[in-house]
Amino acid sequence: MGRKEAHIIVLGNEKGGTGKSTLAMHIVVGLLDAGKKVAVIDLDARQKSVARYLQNRQTFMANGGTKVVMPEFSVISQSEAPMLKDRELEDQKSIIKALSEYREKMDFVVFDCPGNDTYLSRLAHALADTLVTPLNDSFIDLDLLGEVSPTDYQVKKLSFYSEMVWDSRKFRSASGKPPMDWVVTRTRLASLDSRNNKRVHLALKSLQKRIMFRYVPGLYERVIYKELFPSGLTILDLEKVNSMSHVAARQEVRTLIDNLNLI
Ligand SMILES: Nc1ncnc2c1ncn2[C@@H]1O[C@H](COP(=O)(O)OP(=O)(O)OP(=O)(O)O)[C@@H](O)[C@H]1O
Ligand SMILES: [Mg+2]
């Protein structure tokens, strides 16, 4: 019997700076820690956040740092062909080529999408077994999913992004694949149990029924999620965690990964 194909995880939304790349790194390290084989494909060739994170990780080890688990990784740049049709064809070929390298030998392939609508990002969404959409804790970010009434949290209109995910789901079911698991989570939560926090929480609970995603607990705003970038490490890599805040950070990352139901 052949090996099972890699499970595809896509970190996506159409808004910049919501924590996709940060979350991608933590999910990747969590899966590697669990002994899984993981490859990362960075579709944001302008910023290359995840690829840079991983290069920093390699440099950290090359400079004598403790040995840490590494995924395989590559970056795909958008085609610059003059004709739209050719650009789309080239983008399709790039994704197929990268996947053909990883699909058979990896347990997971993680795509990190840019924070805007690109054809590469659409292709990745159509391939996602699990789609993870991080949002910041604000009603502006909720607009990314749909227009929600601020008084009774009823959904008035779906966003372009939700429509796009819906199309990806239709494409999957037409090709006989099991349904995509769409997971929405909040990142950069304020540490106080603020009124805004509660309202966004209620709105997401209301939206999840209508748009059919799973809303799971996310990450608080913590310095530890950004200060390790230069060394390419994450809270999961640290041998010793001393402060209460670091213990809590590690726990919330683990809970989030558990809630993705991947392992
Ligand atoms: N939970 C968090 N706590 C503190 N800082 C965070 C957290 N999550 C993300 N950040 C910081 O927020 C900024 C944006 O995060 P990140 O680059 O992961 O977002 P992104 O969605 O990938 O952005 P883009 O759409 O531009 O690719 C970065 O400076 C990152 O270090
Ligand atoms: Mg990013």
Side-chain angles (χ1 to χ4, degrees):
M1 213 170 77
R3 195 175 184 284
K4 211 169 143 260
E5 280 193 345
H7 184 99
I8 297 180
I9 306 166
V10 174
L11 277 292
N13 61 21
E14 285 172 7
K15 190 158 191 307
T18 58
K20 295 178 289 297
S21 303
T22 305
L23 211 50
M25 264 308 292
H26 288 82
I27 293 171
V28 166
V29 174
L31 292 171
L32 288 166
D33 271 351
K36 301 295 174 188
K37 293 195 186 109
V38 185
V40 187
I41 303 178
D42 194 336
L43 296 182
D44 192 351
R46 281 167 73 96
Q47 297 199 46
K48 297 195 196 84
S49 307
V50 169
R52 284 187 43 234
Y53 212 126
L54 291 167
Q55 278 154 359
N56 293 346
R57 201 171 167 89
Q58 281 171 330
T59 310
F60 168 81
M61 284 192 281
N63 290 342
T66 342
K67 200 170 176 318
V68 282
V69 279
M70 273 301 286
E72 293 202 18
F73 68 100
S74 53
V75 180
I76 298 183
S77 303
Q78 280 190 81
S79 161
E80 290 182 357
M83 304 282 288
L84 174 72
K85 198 167 74 49
D86 296 332
R87 284 202 296 278
E88 292 191 349
L89 213 65
E90 269 185 34
D91 283 349
Q92 281 176 29
K93 280 189 188 152
S94 306
I95 294 239
I96 290 169
K97 183 167 173 282
L99 269 184
S100 68
E101 263 177 54
Y102 298 138
R103 224 171 183 169
E104 301 290 315
K105 53 179 187 182
M106 293 291 153
D107 298 309
F108 294 94
V109 175
V110 178
F111 282 97
D112 185 37
C113 294
N116 57 339
D117 179 19
T118 67
Y119 187 65
L120 280 174
S121 177
R122 281 176 182 242
L123 290 173
H125 279 71
L127 290 164
D129 295 307
T130 301
L131 169 63
V132 183
T133 299
L135 298 180
N136 285 170
D137 202 17
S138 89
F139 271 87
I140 297 183
D141 275 25
L142 274 184
D143 261 7
L144 181 81
L145 299 173
E147 227 179 273
V148 192
S149 156
T151 46
D152 60 5
Y153 308 120
Q154 288 301 306
V155 185
K156 294 197 268 184
K157 195 167 159 249
L158 293 187
S159 67
F160 287 121
Y161 182 70
S162 292
E163 302 269 9
M164 190 269 273
V165 175
W166 194 251
D167 286 344
S168 304
R169 285 178 151 159
K170 279 197 294 198
F171 172 82
R172 275 182 77 82
S173 66
S175 49
K177 291 192 171 167
M180 168 207 286
D181 186 21
W182 187 11
V183 180
V184 173
T185 190
R186 290 190 292 172
T187 50
R188 315 197 69 173
L189 282 161
S191 46
L192 289 171
D193 229 359
S194 67
R195 189 161 163 263
N196 176 70
N197 179 325
K198 282 183 198 144
R199 291 180 64 215
V200 174
H201 170 73
L202 291 173
L204 278 169
K205 278 182 79 161
S206 160
L207 269 174
Q208 70 174 341
K209 292 180 207 131
R210 166 80 195 275
I211 313 184
M212 287 169 51
F213 56 75
R214 287 196 298 123
Y215 164 47
V216 308
L219 307 183
Y220 279 84
E221 166 85 28
R222 296 181 196 274
V223 177
I224 192 69
Y225 293 133
K226 44 189 173 188
E227 71 181 356
L228 294 175
F229 178 81
S231 59
L233 301 181
T234 71
I235 183 78
L236 301 178
D237 297 299
L238 302 184
E239 274 168 23
K240 281 196 193 132
V241 276
N242 300 319
S243 72
M244 286 294 284
S245 156
H246 289 183
V247 173
R250 184 176 268 189
Q251 192 48 51
E252 73 193 11
V253 171
R254 288 195 174 137
T255 303
L256 177 53
I257 296 173
D258 282 351
N259 278 327
L260 298 181
N261 301 338
L262 299 168
I263 321 173

